[in-house]
Amino acid sequence: MLRVSNLCKSYGPVKAVDNVCFELEKGKILAIIGPSGGGKSTVLRLLNGLETPDSGSIYFINSQGYIENGTFGLVFQEYNLFPQYTVLGNLTLAPKLLKKNYSQAIEILEKVGLTDKKNNYPSQLSGGQKQRTAIARALMLKPDILCFDEPTSALDPKLTEEIVNIINQLKGEQTIIIVTHDMDVMRGTADITAIMDNGKLRLDI
Ligand code: ADP
């Protein structure tokens, strides 16, 4: 289980994240909605270690109540794919991943419905396929929690539905945090909902 306690981050006078607390059990999906500037991306950046909190803590707790190690993965809004590598290349490129992960990559590509695109380059993919490649790449590192920053903001309604379906396929086996503007995405995926405004997170909206 993830436990976030009293998390705070300010930029000058702006309290981007103001005393945020929440818990997330394994296999559950938390969706955070809220106005632009509310602090959602900052929370994701703090969780993923891309920013350092001013105060507060981020822990994984095991079933005995002890702190354990845990990892986060982040699917960026702009995908951040490497244009010079194929889909398969994008999945197996990370220095942590050795050649033996080829079979894992094939398995994950099948899961996200991209098997037939494995030798294509990002420029040859649709928006939805790029997004699925980014999801597959994040899954390669087997993060305990996979975070999505506005996964559907650049997609049309049909592709949005596709991404919602993929997120739902991962449901149960993958713990997920989604930041979204889209009420339908939240309703279609979340076990737990939250709204973030002015740096404050309110659960169960
Ligand atoms: P959201 O993702 O909900 O749109 P953000 O987390 O991006 O909100 O931003 C929360 C607040 O923190 C905003 O007022 C934003 O301008 C400010 N902010 C975010 N990142 C930085 C930064 N690197 N430097 C200064 N201010 C920032």
PDB file of all heavy atoms in Angstrom, residues 86-89 91 102-121 124-125 128-130 132-133 136 162 166 169:
ATOM      1  N   THR A  86      12.446   1.902 -33.028  1.00  0.00           N
ATOM      2  CA  THR A  86      11.130   1.300 -33.281  1.00  0.00           C
ATOM      3  C   THR A  86      10.365   1.165 -31.962  1.00  0.00           C
ATOM      4  O   THR A  86      10.920   1.417 -30.886  1.00  0.00           O
ATOM      5  CB  THR A  86      11.282  -0.119 -33.871  1.00  0.00           C
ATOM      6  OG1 THR A  86      11.950  -0.934 -32.896  1.00  0.00           O
ATOM      7  CG2 THR A  86      12.053  -0.104 -35.181  1.00  0.00           C
ATOM      8  N   VAL A  87       9.122   0.724 -32.071  1.00  0.00           N
ATOM      9  CA  VAL A  87       8.301   0.462 -30.881  1.00  0.00           C
ATOM     10  C   VAL A  87       9.052  -0.495 -29.954  1.00  0.00           C
ATOM     11  O   VAL A  87       9.225  -0.228 -28.763  1.00  0.00           O
ATOM     12  CB  VAL A  87       6.933  -0.130 -31.303  1.00  0.00           C
ATOM     13  CG1 VAL A  87       6.198  -0.721 -30.118  1.00  0.00           C
ATOM     14  CG2 VAL A  87       6.082   0.949 -31.984  1.00  0.00           C
ATOM     15  N   LEU A  88       9.537  -1.591 -30.529  1.00  0.00           N
ATOM     16  CA  LEU A  88      10.270  -2.586 -29.736  1.00  0.00           C
ATOM     17  C   LEU A  88      11.531  -1.964 -29.133  1.00  0.00           C
ATOM     18  O   LEU A  88      11.862  -2.192 -27.968  1.00  0.00           O
ATOM     19  CB  LEU A  88      10.632  -3.776 -30.625  1.00  0.00           C
ATOM     20  CG  LEU A  88      11.015  -5.069 -29.945  1.00  0.00           C
ATOM     21  CD1 LEU A  88       9.951  -5.533 -28.961  1.00  0.00           C
ATOM     22  CD2 LEU A  88      11.257  -6.149 -31.000  1.00  0.00           C
ATOM     23  N   GLY A  89      12.212  -1.149 -29.928  1.00  0.00           N
ATOM     24  CA  GLY A  89      13.414  -0.463 -29.449  1.00  0.00           C
ATOM     25  C   GLY A  89      13.103   0.449 -28.281  1.00  0.00           C
ATOM     26  O   GLY A  89      13.843   0.496 -27.297  1.00  0.00           O
ATOM     27  N   LEU A  91      10.892   0.024 -26.126  1.00  0.00           N
ATOM     28  CA  LEU A  91      10.602  -0.768 -24.924  1.00  0.00           C
ATOM     29  C   LEU A  91      11.854  -1.374 -24.302  1.00  0.00           C
ATOM     30  O   LEU A  91      11.888  -1.620 -23.103  1.00  0.00           O
ATOM     31  CB  LEU A  91       9.625  -1.909 -25.258  1.00  0.00           C
ATOM     32  CG  LEU A  91       8.156  -1.619 -24.956  1.00  0.00           C
ATOM     33  CD1 LEU A  91       7.618  -0.503 -25.823  1.00  0.00           C
ATOM     34  CD2 LEU A  91       7.316  -2.872 -25.121  1.00  0.00           C
ATOM     35  N   TYR A 102      13.449  -9.175 -24.087  1.00  0.00           N
ATOM     36  CA  TYR A 102      12.767  -9.181 -25.377  1.00  0.00           C
ATOM     37  C   TYR A 102      11.414  -9.886 -25.264  1.00  0.00           C
ATOM     38  O   TYR A 102      10.392  -9.371 -25.722  1.00  0.00           O
ATOM     39  CB  TYR A 102      13.665  -9.884 -26.408  1.00  0.00           C
ATOM     40  CG  TYR A 102      13.061  -9.965 -27.769  1.00  0.00           C
ATOM     41  CD1 TYR A 102      13.178  -8.902 -28.662  1.00  0.00           C
ATOM     42  CD2 TYR A 102      12.390 -11.118 -28.176  1.00  0.00           C
ATOM     43  CE1 TYR A 102      12.614  -8.983 -29.926  1.00  0.00           C
ATOM     44  CE2 TYR A 102      11.830 -11.202 -29.433  1.00  0.00           C
ATOM     45  CZ  TYR A 102      11.942 -10.141 -30.305  1.00  0.00           C
ATOM     46  OH  TYR A 102      11.376 -10.217 -31.545  1.00  0.00           O
ATOM     47  N   SER A 103      11.405 -11.047 -24.610  1.00  0.00           N
ATOM     48  CA  SER A 103      10.152 -11.812 -24.523  1.00  0.00           C
ATOM     49  C   SER A 103       9.126 -11.062 -23.669  1.00  0.00           C
ATOM     50  O   SER A 103       7.925 -11.107 -23.942  1.00  0.00           O
ATOM     51  CB  SER A 103      10.393 -13.215 -23.977  1.00  0.00           C
ATOM     52  OG  SER A 103      10.972 -13.118 -22.708  1.00  0.00           O
ATOM     53  N   GLN A 104       9.604 -10.366 -22.651  1.00  0.00           N
ATOM     54  CA  GLN A 104       8.698  -9.566 -21.819  1.00  0.00           C
ATOM     55  C   GLN A 104       8.095  -8.426 -22.658  1.00  0.00           C
ATOM     56  O   GLN A 104       6.899  -8.133 -22.564  1.00  0.00           O
ATOM     57  CB  GLN A 104       9.481  -8.975 -20.644  1.00  0.00           C
ATOM     58  CG  GLN A 104       8.595  -8.313 -19.614  1.00  0.00           C
ATOM     59  CD  GLN A 104       9.384  -7.405 -18.685  1.00  0.00           C
ATOM     60  OE1 GLN A 104      10.560  -7.626 -18.430  1.00  0.00           O
ATOM     61  NE2 GLN A 104       8.733  -6.375 -18.186  1.00  0.00           N
ATOM     62  N   ALA A 105       8.931  -7.816 -23.507  1.00  0.00           N
ATOM     63  CA  ALA A 105       8.458  -6.723 -24.366  1.00  0.00           C
ATOM     64  C   ALA A 105       7.358  -7.228 -25.301  1.00  0.00           C
ATOM     65  O   ALA A 105       6.335  -6.571 -25.480  1.00  0.00           O
ATOM     66  CB  ALA A 105       9.622  -6.132 -25.163  1.00  0.00           C
ATOM     67  N   ILE A 106       7.573  -8.401 -25.872  1.00  0.00           N
ATOM     68  CA  ILE A 106       6.588  -8.968 -26.797  1.00  0.00           C
ATOM     69  C   ILE A 106       5.266  -9.218 -26.064  1.00  0.00           C
ATOM     70  O   ILE A 106       4.181  -8.926 -26.573  1.00  0.00           O
ATOM     71  CB  ILE A 106       7.130 -10.296 -27.403  1.00  0.00           C
ATOM     72  CG1 ILE A 106       8.388 -10.018 -28.226  1.00  0.00           C
ATOM     73  CG2 ILE A 106       6.066 -11.012 -28.223  1.00  0.00           C
ATOM     74  CD1 ILE A 106       8.192  -9.227 -29.482  1.00  0.00           C
ATOM     75  N   GLU A 107       5.396  -9.729 -24.843  1.00  0.00           N
ATOM     76  CA  GLU A 107       4.206 -10.012 -24.032  1.00  0.00           C
ATOM     77  C   GLU A 107       3.435  -8.721 -23.728  1.00  0.00           C
ATOM     78  O   GLU A 107       2.207  -8.667 -23.841  1.00  0.00           O
ATOM     79  CB  GLU A 107       4.696 -10.624 -22.719  1.00  0.00           C
ATOM     80  CG  GLU A 107       3.725 -11.486 -21.984  1.00  0.00           C
ATOM     81  CD  GLU A 107       4.431 -12.080 -20.769  1.00  0.00           C
ATOM     82  OE1 GLU A 107       5.327 -12.934 -20.947  1.00  0.00           O
ATOM     83  OE2 GLU A 107       4.120 -11.643 -19.660  1.00  0.00           O
ATOM     84  N   ILE A 108       4.164  -7.677 -23.346  1.00  0.00           N
ATOM     85  CA  ILE A 108       3.516  -6.403 -22.996  1.00  0.00           C
ATOM     86  C   ILE A 108       2.894  -5.761 -24.245  1.00  0.00           C
ATOM     87  O   ILE A 108       1.793  -5.213 -24.183  1.00  0.00           O
ATOM     88  CB  ILE A 108       4.522  -5.460 -22.292  1.00  0.00           C
ATOM     89  CG1 ILE A 108       4.824  -5.989 -20.890  1.00  0.00           C
ATOM     90  CG2 ILE A 108       3.981  -4.031 -22.213  1.00  0.00           C
ATOM     91  CD1 ILE A 108       5.878  -5.239 -20.130  1.00  0.00           C
ATOM     92  N   LEU A 109       3.578  -5.873 -25.372  1.00  0.00           N
ATOM     93  CA  LEU A 109       3.018  -5.307 -26.609  1.00  0.00           C
ATOM     94  C   LEU A 109       1.714  -6.000 -26.972  1.00  0.00           C
ATOM     95  O   LEU A 109       0.777  -5.368 -27.460  1.00  0.00           O
ATOM     96  CB  LEU A 109       4.027  -5.433 -27.760  1.00  0.00           C
ATOM     97  CG  LEU A 109       5.192  -4.452 -27.703  1.00  0.00           C
ATOM     98  CD1 LEU A 109       6.181  -4.724 -28.828  1.00  0.00           C
ATOM     99  CD2 LEU A 109       4.702  -3.008 -27.790  1.00  0.00           C
ATOM    100  N   GLU A 110       1.664  -7.295 -26.686  1.00  0.00           N
ATOM    101  CA  GLU A 110       0.429  -8.023 -26.951  1.00  0.00           C
ATOM    102  C   GLU A 110      -0.684  -7.509 -26.042  1.00  0.00           C
ATOM    103  O   GLU A 110      -1.808  -7.272 -26.467  1.00  0.00           O
ATOM    104  CB  GLU A 110       0.667  -9.513 -26.729  1.00  0.00           C
ATOM    105  CG  GLU A 110      -0.364 -10.346 -27.449  1.00  0.00           C
ATOM    106  CD  GLU A 110      -0.070 -11.827 -27.315  1.00  0.00           C
ATOM    107  OE1 GLU A 110       1.106 -12.206 -27.430  1.00  0.00           O
ATOM    108  OE2 GLU A 110      -1.036 -12.567 -27.070  1.00  0.00           O
ATOM    109  N   LYS A 111      -0.313  -7.283 -24.774  1.00  0.00           N
ATOM    110  CA  LYS A 111      -1.284  -6.805 -23.788  1.00  0.00           C
ATOM    111  C   LYS A 111      -1.908  -5.468 -24.208  1.00  0.00           C
ATOM    112  O   LYS A 111      -3.091  -5.239 -24.018  1.00  0.00           O
ATOM    113  CB  LYS A 111      -0.564  -6.652 -22.441  1.00  0.00           C
ATOM    114  CG  LYS A 111      -1.494  -6.520 -21.273  1.00  0.00           C
ATOM    115  CD  LYS A 111      -0.744  -6.232 -19.992  1.00  0.00           C
ATOM    116  CE  LYS A 111      -0.259  -7.468 -19.280  1.00  0.00           C
ATOM    117  NZ  LYS A 111       0.332  -7.156 -17.970  1.00  0.00           N
ATOM    118  N   VAL A 112      -1.078  -4.588 -24.781  1.00  0.00           N
ATOM    119  CA  VAL A 112      -1.609  -3.268 -25.170  1.00  0.00           C
ATOM    120  C   VAL A 112      -2.032  -3.226 -26.642  1.00  0.00           C
ATOM    121  O   VAL A 112      -2.319  -2.153 -27.183  1.00  0.00           O
ATOM    122  CB  VAL A 112      -0.606  -2.118 -24.852  1.00  0.00           C
ATOM    123  CG1 VAL A 112      -0.272  -2.065 -23.381  1.00  0.00           C
ATOM    124  CG2 VAL A 112       0.639  -2.213 -25.704  1.00  0.00           C
ATOM    125  N   GLY A 113      -2.028  -4.385 -27.299  1.00  0.00           N
ATOM    126  CA  GLY A 113      -2.536  -4.474 -28.669  1.00  0.00           C
ATOM    127  C   GLY A 113      -1.643  -3.840 -29.719  1.00  0.00           C
ATOM    128  O   GLY A 113      -2.124  -3.235 -30.672  1.00  0.00           O
ATOM    129  N   LEU A 114      -0.326  -4.002 -29.552  1.00  0.00           N
ATOM    130  CA  LEU A 114       0.605  -3.360 -30.492  1.00  0.00           C
ATOM    131  C   LEU A 114       1.543  -4.340 -31.179  1.00  0.00           C
ATOM    132  O   LEU A 114       2.507  -3.910 -31.817  1.00  0.00           O
ATOM    133  CB  LEU A 114       1.480  -2.340 -29.735  1.00  0.00           C
ATOM    134  CG  LEU A 114       0.941  -0.930 -29.562  1.00  0.00           C
ATOM    135  CD1 LEU A 114       1.964  -0.108 -28.798  1.00  0.00           C
ATOM    136  CD2 LEU A 114       0.650  -0.271 -30.903  1.00  0.00           C
ATOM    137  N   THR A 115       1.231  -5.617 -31.080  1.00  0.00           N
ATOM    138  CA  THR A 115       2.142  -6.633 -31.625  1.00  0.00           C
ATOM    139  C   THR A 115       2.511  -6.343 -33.078  1.00  0.00           C
ATOM    140  O   THR A 115       3.679  -6.421 -33.458  1.00  0.00           O
ATOM    141  CB  THR A 115       1.492  -8.032 -31.515  1.00  0.00           C
ATOM    142  OG1 THR A 115       1.090  -8.195 -30.165  1.00  0.00           O
ATOM    143  CG2 THR A 115       2.444  -9.128 -31.900  1.00  0.00           C
ATOM    144  N   ASP A 116       1.514  -5.977 -33.870  1.00  0.00           N
ATOM    145  CA  ASP A 116       1.783  -5.784 -35.304  1.00  0.00           C
ATOM    146  C   ASP A 116       2.519  -4.475 -35.602  1.00  0.00           C
ATOM    147  O   ASP A 116       2.894  -4.220 -36.742  1.00  0.00           O
ATOM    148  CB  ASP A 116       0.471  -5.853 -36.099  1.00  0.00           C
ATOM    149  CG  ASP A 116      -0.534  -4.816 -35.647  1.00  0.00           C
ATOM    150  OD1 ASP A 116      -0.442  -4.373 -34.483  1.00  0.00           O
ATOM    151  OD2 ASP A 116      -1.404  -4.428 -36.447  1.00  0.00           O
ATOM    152  N   LYS A 117       2.741  -3.666 -34.599  1.00  0.00           N
ATOM    153  CA  LYS A 117       3.440  -2.387 -34.823  1.00  0.00           C
ATOM    154  C   LYS A 117       4.851  -2.404 -34.239  1.00  0.00           C
ATOM    155  O   LYS A 117       5.518  -1.355 -34.206  1.00  0.00           O
ATOM    156  CB  LYS A 117       2.664  -1.227 -34.164  1.00  0.00           C
ATOM    157  CG  LYS A 117       1.276  -1.009 -34.705  1.00  0.00           C
ATOM    158  CD  LYS A 117       1.308  -0.389 -36.087  1.00  0.00           C
ATOM    159  CE  LYS A 117      -0.089  -0.276 -36.652  1.00  0.00           C
ATOM    160  NZ  LYS A 117      -0.104  -0.105 -38.092  1.00  0.00           N
ATOM    161  N   LYS A 118       5.304  -3.565 -33.816  1.00  0.00           N
ATOM    162  CA  LYS A 118       6.551  -3.580 -33.049  1.00  0.00           C
ATOM    163  C   LYS A 118       7.763  -3.055 -33.828  1.00  0.00           C
ATOM    164  O   LYS A 118       8.693  -2.519 -33.235  1.00  0.00           O
ATOM    165  CB  LYS A 118       6.828  -4.959 -32.457  1.00  0.00           C
ATOM    166  CG  LYS A 118       7.121  -6.076 -33.433  1.00  0.00           C
ATOM    167  CD  LYS A 118       7.463  -7.347 -32.649  1.00  0.00           C
ATOM    168  CE  LYS A 118       7.937  -8.467 -33.545  1.00  0.00           C
ATOM    169  NZ  LYS A 118       6.867  -9.025 -34.386  1.00  0.00           N
ATOM    170  N   ASN A 119       7.737  -3.191 -35.155  1.00  0.00           N
ATOM    171  CA  ASN A 119       8.878  -2.717 -35.941  1.00  0.00           C
ATOM    172  C   ASN A 119       8.649  -1.342 -36.566  1.00  0.00           C
ATOM    173  O   ASN A 119       9.459  -0.875 -37.369  1.00  0.00           O
ATOM    174  CB  ASN A 119       9.228  -3.750 -37.016  1.00  0.00           C
ATOM    175  CG  ASN A 119       9.702  -5.048 -36.387  1.00  0.00           C
ATOM    176  OD1 ASN A 119      10.443  -5.028 -35.401  1.00  0.00           O
ATOM    177  ND2 ASN A 119       9.251  -6.175 -36.918  1.00  0.00           N
ATOM    178  N   ASN A 120       7.557  -0.695 -36.193  1.00  0.00           N
ATOM    179  CA  ASN A 120       7.290   0.660 -36.703  1.00  0.00           C
ATOM    180  C   ASN A 120       8.004   1.710 -35.856  1.00  0.00           C
ATOM    181  O   ASN A 120       8.262   1.494 -34.669  1.00  0.00           O
ATOM    182  CB  ASN A 120       5.794   0.950 -36.660  1.00  0.00           C
ATOM    183  CG  ASN A 120       5.032   0.243 -37.752  1.00  0.00           C
ATOM    184  OD1 ASN A 120       5.218  -0.956 -37.978  1.00  0.00           O
ATOM    185  ND2 ASN A 120       4.177   0.965 -38.441  1.00  0.00           N
ATOM    186  N   TYR A 121       8.260   2.854 -36.496  1.00  0.00           N
ATOM    187  CA  TYR A 121       8.850   3.986 -35.776  1.00  0.00           C
ATOM    188  C   TYR A 121       7.709   4.883 -35.271  1.00  0.00           C
ATOM    189  O   TYR A 121       6.613   4.893 -35.864  1.00  0.00           O
ATOM    190  CB  TYR A 121       9.786   4.757 -36.699  1.00  0.00           C
ATOM    191  CG  TYR A 121      11.042   3.980 -36.991  1.00  0.00           C
ATOM    192  CD1 TYR A 121      11.096   3.069 -38.041  1.00  0.00           C
ATOM    193  CD2 TYR A 121      12.156   4.121 -36.163  1.00  0.00           C
ATOM    194  CE1 TYR A 121      12.240   2.311 -38.279  1.00  0.00           C
ATOM    195  CE2 TYR A 121      13.310   3.375 -36.394  1.00  0.00           C
ATOM    196  CZ  TYR A 121      13.340   2.462 -37.451  1.00  0.00           C
ATOM    197  OH  TYR A 121      14.457   1.722 -37.658  1.00  0.00           O
ATOM    198  N   GLN A 124       5.381   6.663 -37.514  1.00  0.00           N
ATOM    199  CA  GLN A 124       4.433   5.853 -38.299  1.00  0.00           C
ATOM    200  C   GLN A 124       3.226   5.406 -37.467  1.00  0.00           C
ATOM    201  O   GLN A 124       2.443   4.579 -37.916  1.00  0.00           O
ATOM    202  CB  GLN A 124       5.150   4.604 -38.833  1.00  0.00           C
ATOM    203  CG  GLN A 124       6.363   4.939 -39.691  1.00  0.00           C
ATOM    204  CD  GLN A 124       7.237   3.723 -39.960  1.00  0.00           C
ATOM    205  OE1 GLN A 124       7.474   2.901 -39.080  1.00  0.00           O
ATOM    206  NE2 GLN A 124       7.715   3.625 -41.189  1.00  0.00           N
ATOM    207  N   LEU A 125       3.106   5.964 -36.258  1.00  0.00           N
ATOM    208  CA  LEU A 125       2.022   5.542 -35.362  1.00  0.00           C
ATOM    209  C   LEU A 125       0.984   6.640 -35.207  1.00  0.00           C
ATOM    210  O   LEU A 125       1.304   7.829 -35.310  1.00  0.00           O
ATOM    211  CB  LEU A 125       2.588   5.226 -33.964  1.00  0.00           C
ATOM    212  CG  LEU A 125       3.662   4.157 -33.858  1.00  0.00           C
ATOM    213  CD1 LEU A 125       4.166   4.073 -32.418  1.00  0.00           C
ATOM    214  CD2 LEU A 125       3.155   2.795 -34.321  1.00  0.00           C
ATOM    215  N   GLY A 128      -3.012   7.378 -30.582  1.00  0.00           N
ATOM    216  CA  GLY A 128      -3.367   6.320 -29.631  1.00  0.00           C
ATOM    217  C   GLY A 128      -2.285   5.250 -29.552  1.00  0.00           C
ATOM    218  O   GLY A 128      -1.985   4.737 -28.477  1.00  0.00           O
ATOM    219  N   GLN A 129      -1.687   4.927 -30.714  1.00  0.00           N
ATOM    220  CA  GLN A 129      -0.630   3.904 -30.711  1.00  0.00           C
ATOM    221  C   GLN A 129       0.628   4.417 -30.009  1.00  0.00           C
ATOM    222  O   GLN A 129       1.323   3.666 -29.320  1.00  0.00           O
ATOM    223  CB  GLN A 129      -0.307   3.497 -32.158  1.00  0.00           C
ATOM    224  CG  GLN A 129      -1.431   2.694 -32.794  1.00  0.00           C
ATOM    225  CD  GLN A 129      -1.342   2.643 -34.304  1.00  0.00           C
ATOM    226  OE1 GLN A 129      -0.590   3.385 -34.934  1.00  0.00           O
ATOM    227  NE2 GLN A 129      -2.149   1.769 -34.892  1.00  0.00           N
ATOM    228  N   LYS A 130       0.904   5.701 -30.186  1.00  0.00           N
ATOM    229  CA  LYS A 130       2.058   6.285 -29.465  1.00  0.00           C
ATOM    230  C   LYS A 130       1.820   6.204 -27.966  1.00  0.00           C
ATOM    231  O   LYS A 130       2.723   5.876 -27.198  1.00  0.00           O
ATOM    232  CB  LYS A 130       2.236   7.761 -29.866  1.00  0.00           C
ATOM    233  CG  LYS A 130       2.887   7.951 -31.207  1.00  0.00           C
ATOM    234  CD  LYS A 130       3.071   9.431 -31.474  1.00  0.00           C
ATOM    235  CE  LYS A 130       3.294   9.642 -32.960  1.00  0.00           C
ATOM    236  NZ  LYS A 130       3.067  10.984 -33.411  1.00  0.00           N
ATOM    237  N   ARG A 132      -0.054   4.090 -26.423  1.00  0.00           N
ATOM    238  CA  ARG A 132       0.048   2.695 -25.972  1.00  0.00           C
ATOM    239  C   ARG A 132       1.508   2.251 -25.896  1.00  0.00           C
ATOM    240  O   ARG A 132       1.884   1.478 -25.017  1.00  0.00           O
ATOM    241  CB  ARG A 132      -0.753   1.781 -26.901  1.00  0.00           C
ATOM    242  CG  ARG A 132      -2.231   1.838 -26.556  1.00  0.00           C
ATOM    243  CD  ARG A 132      -3.009   0.823 -27.314  1.00  0.00           C
ATOM    244  NE  ARG A 132      -3.411   1.336 -28.618  1.00  0.00           N
ATOM    245  CZ  ARG A 132      -3.667   0.573 -29.666  1.00  0.00           C
ATOM    246  NH1 ARG A 132      -3.549  -0.720 -29.597  1.00  0.00           N
ATOM    247  NH2 ARG A 132      -4.050   1.126 -30.798  1.00  0.00           N
ATOM    248  N   THR A 133       2.346   2.767 -26.818  1.00  0.00           N
ATOM    249  CA  THR A 133       3.777   2.453 -26.757  1.00  0.00           C
ATOM    250  C   THR A 133       4.372   3.020 -25.465  1.00  0.00           C
ATOM    251  O   THR A 133       5.163   2.358 -24.785  1.00  0.00           O
ATOM    252  CB  THR A 133       4.515   3.054 -27.975  1.00  0.00           C
ATOM    253  OG1 THR A 133       3.886   2.596 -29.159  1.00  0.00           O
ATOM    254  CG2 THR A 133       5.985   2.658 -27.981  1.00  0.00           C
ATOM    255  N   ALA A 136       3.316   0.829 -22.641  1.00  0.00           N
ATOM    256  CA  ALA A 136       4.072  -0.426 -22.675  1.00  0.00           C
ATOM    257  C   ALA A 136       5.495  -0.210 -22.158  1.00  0.00           C
ATOM    258  O   ALA A 136       6.021  -1.022 -21.388  1.00  0.00           O
ATOM    259  CB  ALA A 136       4.100  -0.974 -24.098  1.00  0.00           C
ATOM    260  N   GLU A 162     -10.264   3.996 -26.125  1.00  0.00           N
ATOM    261  CA  GLU A 162      -9.266   2.927 -26.240  1.00  0.00           C
ATOM    262  C   GLU A 162      -8.322   2.920 -25.042  1.00  0.00           C
ATOM    263  O   GLU A 162      -8.010   1.875 -24.486  1.00  0.00           O
ATOM    264  CB  GLU A 162      -8.407   3.196 -27.488  1.00  0.00           C
ATOM    265  CG  GLU A 162      -8.592   2.209 -28.595  1.00  0.00           C
ATOM    266  CD  GLU A 162      -7.557   2.460 -29.669  1.00  0.00           C
ATOM    267  OE1 GLU A 162      -6.351   2.320 -29.407  1.00  0.00           O
ATOM    268  OE2 GLU A 162      -7.969   2.825 -30.791  1.00  0.00           O
ATOM    269  N   ILE A 166      -7.625   0.143 -22.105  1.00  0.00           N
ATOM    270  CA  ILE A 166      -6.321  -0.426 -21.736  1.00  0.00           C
ATOM    271  C   ILE A 166      -6.072  -0.274 -20.237  1.00  0.00           C
ATOM    272  O   ILE A 166      -5.625  -1.207 -19.570  1.00  0.00           O
ATOM    273  CB  ILE A 166      -5.185   0.232 -22.542  1.00  0.00           C
ATOM    274  CG1 ILE A 166      -5.265  -0.258 -23.979  1.00  0.00           C
ATOM    275  CG2 ILE A 166      -3.816  -0.104 -21.950  1.00  0.00           C
ATOM    276  CD1 ILE A 166      -4.329   0.426 -24.904  1.00  0.00           C
ATOM    277  N   GLN A 169      -7.928  -2.821 -18.541  1.00  0.00           N
ATOM    278  CA  GLN A 169      -7.309  -4.150 -18.665  1.00  0.00           C
ATOM    279  C   GLN A 169      -6.237  -4.359 -17.602  1.00  0.00           C
ATOM    280  O   GLN A 169      -5.983  -5.472 -17.163  1.00  0.00           O
ATOM    281  CB  GLN A 169      -6.626  -4.278 -20.022  1.00  0.00           C
ATOM    282  CG  GLN A 169      -7.483  -4.872 -21.106  1.00  0.00           C
ATOM    283  CD  GLN A 169      -6.734  -4.844 -22.431  1.00  0.00           C
ATOM    284  OE1 GLN A 169      -5.537  -5.103 -22.493  1.00  0.00           O
ATOM    285  NE2 GLN A 169      -7.432  -4.526 -23.480  1.00  0.00           N
TER     286      GLN A 169
END
